[in-house]
Amino acid sequence: MKLAAVIYDPKVTIIWGIISDFFKQNDFELKPVFFKDYKMQVDALMAGEVDVAWNSPLAWLDTFLRSNGKSLNGSMRDTDINRSTYLIVKDEKFKTINDLKGEKIGFGAIDSPQARLIPIYNLHQNGLEYGTHYKEVRFDVGVGLNGDHIGGELESAKALLKDEVSASWMLDMNYERYTNDGTLENVRVIYKTPHFDHCIFSSRIGLDKKEFAKFNEILCKMDYENQKHKEMMDMEGLKKWVSARTSGFLQITKANEYLKFLG
């Protein structure tokens, strides 16, 4: 089986090397194929050049739409479930999301589900329309990686600290990280998006369901108590693999419909 993954960081090759070694121990040949961005990865999946792809929320949606829902859904990380993006401010005058009408709001990269697309949809849900009721200040770091990085979110937060924007969006885990290490100080959360899910495995059209089920079965056998598995899981940010669900992709679906991002 050929498995596609985007190299958002050099550690990605180590992560999938450990995973493929475990699969080999379970008599399942898994060959990682790496891509520089999610568009190339989804194109390869749709062309049948790879069997399974480790997809971002936006890449999952792209795959779902282009396959007419025929792509199979695989495992997720435990940490992909129930994520939220926070709207943070510095000035005391901003109490609610509605107070940001007419203000500059900082976002991550153009294709980031958590730091731009879902936030814009949430602004819309609260009566602030894109291109009308606020000025988007976007930080396009790692475009093509669908937010699998911290650059755009971090640069936006830095702009907030320098009073270059009135508010900034940041994934819950990144907010906790940067408040704990002192990067973010004297900021407040005034809004949290409803929960959404993050990465998930998607299959090519026509992949044998039994083969895909076996892939997921072996993957979910990985054990955080195993030191080699722990090394991989710490790098990839999980404690265990869990079964797929797609209910957490409603917001990215609605955001795409609102912005017509995927065309």
Side-chain angles (χ1 to χ4, degrees):
M1 177 182 284
K2 291 183 179 180
L3 184 145
V6 170
I7 300 186
Y8 64 88
D9 186 282
K11 67 182 179 182
V12 168
T13 57
I14 300 172
I15 290 168
W16 293 105
I18 293 172
I19 294 174
S20 60
D21 286 345
F22 177 68
F23 270 74
K24 190 172 184 179
Q25 294 167 14
N26 284 269
D27 300 316
F28 193 109
E29 196 68 29
L30 191 66
K31 181 182 178 181
V33 181
F34 299 113
F35 295 87
K36 70 176 184 179
D37 62 44
Y38 280 103
K39 182 183 184 306
M40 292 180 65
Q41 177 165 290
V42 175
D43 285 347
L45 188 65
M46 290 298 97
E49 297 169 3
V50 294
D51 300 301
V52 177
W54 180 230
N55 272 340
S56 72
L58 184 63
W60 171 84
L61 179 59
D62 195 15
T63 300
F64 177 80
L65 294 174
R66 291 170 63 179
S67 70
N68 293 315
K70 295 179 182 178
S71 173
L72 304 175
N73 300 302
S75 302
M76 310 171 77
R77 299 169 298 185
D78 55 345
T79 49
D80 285 314
I81 305 295
N82 291 337
R83 298 268 55 92
S84 177
T85 295
Y86 295 170
L87 182 59
I88 58 176
V89 298
K90 181 180 171 186
D91 196 314
E92 289 291 334
K93 72 180 181 180
F94 301 118
K95 306 296 184 185
T96 71
I97 190 171
N98 302 100
D99 294 334
L100 292 168
K101 190 171 184 179
E103 300 290 334
K104 294 180 180 179
I105 303 177
F107 298 83
I110 189 171
D111 59 348
S112 175
Q114 67 266 16
R116 182 173 181 266
L117 303 176
I118 289 174
I120 287 175
Y121 174 68
N122 274 261
L123 287 163
H124 160 65
Q125 287 290 91
N126 284 274
L128 277 70
E129 301 300 344
Y130 179 69
T132 302
H133 293 140
Y134 57 91
K135 181 178 180 181
E136 175 189 22
V137 181
R138 198 172 68 232
F139 294 85
D140 282 328
V141 179
V143 173
L145 301 181
N146 292 185
D148 278 357
H149 49 81
I150 57 173
E153 291 179 50
L154 183 56
E155 291 305 308
S156 181
K158 288 179 178 178
L160 173 64
L161 296 179
K162 293 186 288 187
D163 297 318
E164 294 173 355
V165 296
S166 298
S168 180
W169 292 93
M170 181 169 283
L171 187 66
D172 52 3
M173 293 190 296
N174 290 335
Y175 175 80
E176 290 163 11
R177 171 184 176 182
Y178 289 125
T179 51
N180 289 336
D181 69 13
T183 300
L184 286 178
E185 294 182 331
N186 301 316
V187 298
R188 294 178 295 109
V189 176
I190 62 168
Y191 180 84
K192 298 180 180 181
T193 69
H195 287 144
F196 57 86
D197 290 348
H198 213 264
C199 296
I200 187 171
F201 286 102
S202 303
S203 82
R204 63 172 171 80
I205 298 173
L207 180 66
D208 183 77
K209 290 183 179 180
K210 290 183 179 179
E211 184 180 8
F212 192 49
K214 186 65 175 178
F215 163 79
N216 288 290
E217 178 187 338
I218 294 173
L219 188 69
C220 289
K221 288 181 179 178
M222 299 196 82
D223 184 1
Y224 193 73
E225 298 303 315
N226 180 304
Q227 286 303 305
K228 198 64 180 177
H229 297 180
K230 182 179 185 299
E231 177 187 355
M232 179 281 295
M233 290 178 168
D234 285 344
M235 286 190 287
E236 184 60 17
L238 72 152
K239 291 292 194 299
K240 65 178 180 179
W241 296 100
V242 298
S243 299
R245 72 177 192 181
T246 58
S247 57
F249 296 127
L250 177 61
Q251 288 187 81
I252 188 62
T253 301
K254 293 295 185 180
N256 179 62
E257 292 172 358
Y258 177 61
L259 290 169
K260 297 179 175 56
F261 187 80
L262 293 173

